[in-house]
Amino acid sequence: MTEKRPFDVLNTALNNSVLIRLKGGLEVRGNMISYDIHMNLVLDGAEELQNGEVKRKLGTLLLRGDNIVFISPA
Amino acid sequence: MTEKRPFDVLNTALNNSVLIRLKGGLEVRGNMISYDIHMNLVLDGAEELQNGEVKRKLGTLLLRGDNIVFISPA
Amino acid sequence: MTEKRPFDVLNTALNNSVLIRLKGGLEVRGNMISYDIHMNLVLDGAEELQNGEVKRKLGTLLLRGDNIVFISPA
Amino acid sequence: MTEKRPFDVLNTALNNSVLIRLKGGLEVRGNMISYDIHMNLVLDGAEELQNGEVKRKLGTLLLRGDNIVFISPA
Amino acid sequence: MTEKRPFDVLNTALNNSVLIRLKGGLEVRGNMISYDIHMNLVLDGAEELQNGEVKRKLGTLLLRGDNIVFISPA
Amino acid sequence: MTEKRPFDVLNTALNNSVLIRLKGGLEVRGNMISYDIHMNLVLDGAEELQNGEVKRKLGTLLLRGDNIVFISPA
Amino acid sequence: MTEKRPFDVLNTALNNSVLIRLKGGLEVRGNMISYDIHMNLVLDGAEELQNGEVKRKLGTLLLRGDNIVFISPA
């Protein structure tokens, strides 16, 4: 696997499940259906996680990019 | 459902109920009646939530975009 | 009620009482007599609140916009 | 009293006593002798306050504007 | 060993294992497969560490550069 | 004493002792030997203070301006 | 000793040992082998310190400038 640029990971992950860690420690998982240059992104079927367990179902979610720590294609 | 860009979610959510999570953990819910390019947005009939329960009624609310973690159309 | 842009709320609230929540949790209430494009704003007859009770009278107050979480016309 | 712009408050407060609240909760009081467009400002005869009591005399003080929460002409 | 510019370290570390410390104290280790000018970077085979022990396997990871404290080629 | 602009205080304090308070509460004192437009500055014979007592001698110190809360000519 | 500009300290410290304090309180020491205009810098033979004692050896380290509180040539 070779990635040319970090954002290529976002493109590859489109319409697939991703795990997102946010500043402050919150983690959410969902299907990524869009993103922009600021790393703002939209998840579908999003769930808030706590220690890997589903804590709350959130549905569609617009996440601000500047609050993201990492994004991991699941 | 296909979204072209993250901000499309805001446009779709206009005049509908949204759940907003803010940095620091505060959550508010209300009817989104406007937003701008910085994600500043106005809620009508806004309520502050605590563990999903209404803690305080706030009426009209102008929220600064740079304090937002996520926005979820309810 | 229809608002075109978030800042319209500030214009409508001019010379009226507003509740302001700041980062860190501080809340102040007062009569908003001016604002600028950065959301810096001036309150007259401002009071610091704690759990909705007046904790301290502060008189005229210049608030930096980048420290504001939300503004609610009272 | 009518203020055209938030910074007019700074101009009016020049050479007068002001109370400043900083991020992190620190409060200082002193005679404001200059300010600039970033809200950097200089106090003369500045005192650090704790619960309204003088905790420490600091003399002349250059305060960075980006650390200011509010400024209140005393 | 002489490095001309800080980013040369990133170039040298490409396709090698790196240890990353993030704001808030989180540490991850993985094989760095891309980076950009903002220090956004992608790790492959990433693991979250706690006191040097593997706490969680994360696989591919896109890390936002503005959340990074340091990067150490392992 | 009249100061035209906040940075005039820095110019006046050059080659004199200053007390610096940093975000997070750290305080250092030393002889200021240079500064730039970002308020980055260099202290000579710098000491870290705790409750006004010398905690540690640090010698020459380059301080990032964006971490400074206030500067007080001693 | 006269320094014209704060960054002159970095130039003088090149290829010498420096002590770095980071936001959040972490301190590292090492041989500085490069820096750039953002104060991003590379240390060789870096060690993480705790109360002045070596806590961990980190080897080569790329530090983001925006996380630095101060730099002290050792």
Side-chain angles (χ1 to χ4, degrees):
Chain A
M1 173 189 185
T2 45
E3 298 283 340
K4 293 301 191 304
R5 283 183 266 184
F7 270 68
D8 291 348
V9 167
L10 291 182
N11 200 41
T12 305
L14 217 49
N15 297 313
N16 287 301
S17 178
V18 294
L19 170 70
I20 315 262
R21 188 179 175 96
L22 301 168
K23 289 182 189 171
L26 203 71
E27 297 195 350
V28 291
R29 183 160 38 200
N31 200 41
M32 190 176 66
I33 54 177
S34 75
Y35 67 89
D36 66 19
I37 187 184
H38 305 293
M39 256 190 232
N40 296 321
L41 40 86
V42 177
L43 301 184
D44 219 11
E47 299 170 324
E48 186 180 330
L49 304 178
Q50 199 164 46
N51 302 317
E53 305 288 308
V54 176
K55 188 187 164 195
R56 186 165 56 148
K57 291 180 179 298
L58 290 162
T60 300
L61 218 58
L62 167 56
L63 287 155
R64 272 183 72 95
D66 62 3
N67 212 46
I68 289 174
V69 175
F70 66 65
I71 300 169
S72 177
Chain B
M1 172 192 185
T2 45
E3 298 283 339
K4 293 301 191 304
R5 283 183 266 184
F7 271 68
D8 292 347
V9 167
L10 291 182
N11 200 41
T12 305
L14 217 48
N15 297 314
N16 287 301
S17 180
V18 294
L19 170 70
I20 315 263
R21 188 178 174 97
L22 301 167
K23 290 182 188 170
L26 202 71
E27 296 195 351
V28 292
R29 182 158 40 198
N31 200 42
M32 190 175 66
I33 54 178
S34 76
Y35 67 89
D36 65 20
I37 187 185
H38 305 292
M39 253 189 236
N40 296 321
L41 42 86
V42 177
L43 300 185
D44 220 11
E47 299 170 324
E48 186 180 332
L49 304 178
Q50 198 163 48
N51 302 317
E53 304 288 307
V54 176
K55 188 187 164 195
R56 187 165 54 147
K57 291 181 179 298
L58 290 163
T60 301
L61 218 58
L62 167 56
L63 287 155
R64 272 182 72 94
D66 62 4
N67 212 45
I68 289 174
V69 176
F70 65 66
I71 301 168
S72 177
Chain C
M1 173 189 184
T2 45
E3 299 282 340
K4 292 301 190 305
R5 283 183 266 184
F7 271 67
D8 292 348
V9 166
L10 291 181
N11 201 39
T12 305
L14 217 48
N15 298 313
N16 286 302
S17 179
V18 294
L19 170 71
I20 315 263
R21 188 178 175 99
L22 302 167
K23 290 183 190 171
L26 203 71
E27 296 195 351
V28 292
R29 181 158 40 198
N31 200 41
M32 190 175 65
I33 54 179
S34 75
Y35 67 89
D36 65 20
I37 185 185
H38 305 292
M39 254 190 235
N40 297 321
L41 42 85
V42 177
L43 300 185
D44 219 12
E47 300 171 322
E48 185 180 332
L49 304 178
Q50 198 163 48
N51 302 317
E53 304 288 308
V54 176
K55 188 188 164 193
R56 187 165 55 147
K57 291 181 179 298
L58 290 162
T60 301
L61 219 58
L62 167 56
L63 287 155
R64 272 182 71 95
D66 62 5
N67 212 45
I68 289 174
V69 176
F70 65 67
I71 300 168
S72 176
Chain D
M1 173 188 184
T2 45
E3 298 283 339
K4 292 302 190 303
R5 283 183 266 184
F7 270 67
D8 292 347
V9 166
L10 291 181
N11 201 39
T12 304
L14 216 49
N15 298 312
N16 287 302
S17 179
V18 294
L19 170 70
I20 315 264
R21 187 179 176 98
L22 302 167
K23 290 182 190 173
L26 202 72
E27 296 195 352
V28 292
R29 182 159 39 198
N31 200 41
M32 189 176 66
I33 55 178
S34 76
Y35 67 89
D36 65 20
I37 188 183
H38 304 292
M39 254 190 235
N40 297 321
L41 41 87
V42 177
L43 300 185
D44 219 12
E47 300 171 323
E48 186 180 332
L49 304 178
Q50 198 163 48
N51 302 317
E53 305 288 309
V54 176
K55 188 187 166 195
R56 188 165 54 147
K57 290 181 181 298
L58 290 162
T60 300
L61 218 58
L62 166 56
L63 287 154
R64 272 182 71 95
D66 62 3
N67 212 44
I68 290 174
V69 176
F70 65 67
I71 301 168
S72 177
Chain E
M1 172 188 185
T2 45
E3 297 283 340
K4 292 301 190 305
R5 283 182 267 184
F7 270 67
D8 291 348
V9 167
L10 291 181
N11 201 40
T12 305
L14 217 49
N15 297 313
N16 287 301
S17 179
V18 294
L19 170 70
I20 315 263
R21 188 180 175 96
L22 301 168
K23 290 182 189 173
L26 203 72
E27 297 196 350
V28 292
R29 182 159 39 199
N31 200 40
M32 190 177 65
I33 55 177
S34 75
Y35 67 89
D36 65 20
I37 187 184
H38 306 292
M39 254 190 235
N40 297 320
L41 40 86
V42 177
L43 301 184
D44 219 11
E47 300 170 324
E48 186 180 331
L49 304 178
Q50 199 163 48
N51 302 317
E53 305 288 309
V54 176
K55 188 188 164 193
R56 187 165 55 147
K57 290 180 181 298
L58 290 162
T60 301
L61 218 59
L62 166 56
L63 287 155
R64 271 183 72 95
D66 62 2
N67 212 45
I68 290 174
V69 176
F70 65 67
I71 300 167
S72 176
Chain F
M1 172 189 185
T2 44
E3 298 283 340
K4 292 303 189 304
R5 283 183 266 184
F7 271 67
D8 292 347
V9 166
L10 291 181
N11 201 40
T12 304
L14 217 48
N15 298 313
N16 287 302
S17 178
V18 294
L19 170 70
I20 315 264
R21 188 180 175 97
L22 302 167
K23 290 181 189 174
L26 202 72
E27 296 195 353
V28 291
R29 182 159 40 199
N31 200 41
M32 189 175 67
I33 55 178
S34 75
Y35 68 88
D36 66 19
I37 187 186
H38 304 292
M39 255 190 234
N40 296 322
L41 41 87
V42 177
L43 300 185
D44 219 11
E47 301 170 323
E48 185 180 331
L49 304 178
Q50 198 163 48
N51 301 317
E53 305 288 308
V54 176
K55 188 187 165 194
R56 188 165 55 146
K57 290 181 181 298
L58 291 162
T60 301
L61 218 59
L62 166 56
L63 287 155
R64 272 182 71 96
D66 63 3
N67 212 43
I68 289 174
V69 176
F70 65 67
I71 301 168
S72 176
Chain G
M1 172 189 186
T2 45
E3 297 283 341
K4 292 303 190 303
R5 283 183 267 184
F7 270 67
D8 291 347
V9 167
L10 291 181
N11 201 40
T12 305
L14 217 48
N15 297 314
N16 287 301
S17 178
V18 294
L19 170 70
I20 315 264
R21 188 179 175 97
L22 302 167
K23 290 181 190 174
L26 203 71
E27 297 196 350
V28 292
R29 182 159 39 199
N31 200 41
M32 189 176 66
I33 55 178
S34 75
Y35 68 88
D36 65 19
I37 189 185
H38 304 292
M39 255 190 233
N40 297 321
L41 41 87
V42 177
L43 300 184
D44 219 11
E47 300 170 324
E48 186 180 331
L49 305 178
Q50 199 164 48
N51 302 317
E53 305 289 308
V54 176
K55 188 188 165 193
R56 188 164 54 146
K57 290 180 181 297
L58 291 162
T60 301
L61 219 58
L62 166 56
L63 287 155
R64 272 183 71 95
D66 63 2
N67 212 44
I68 290 174
V69 176
F70 65 67
I71 300 167
S72 176

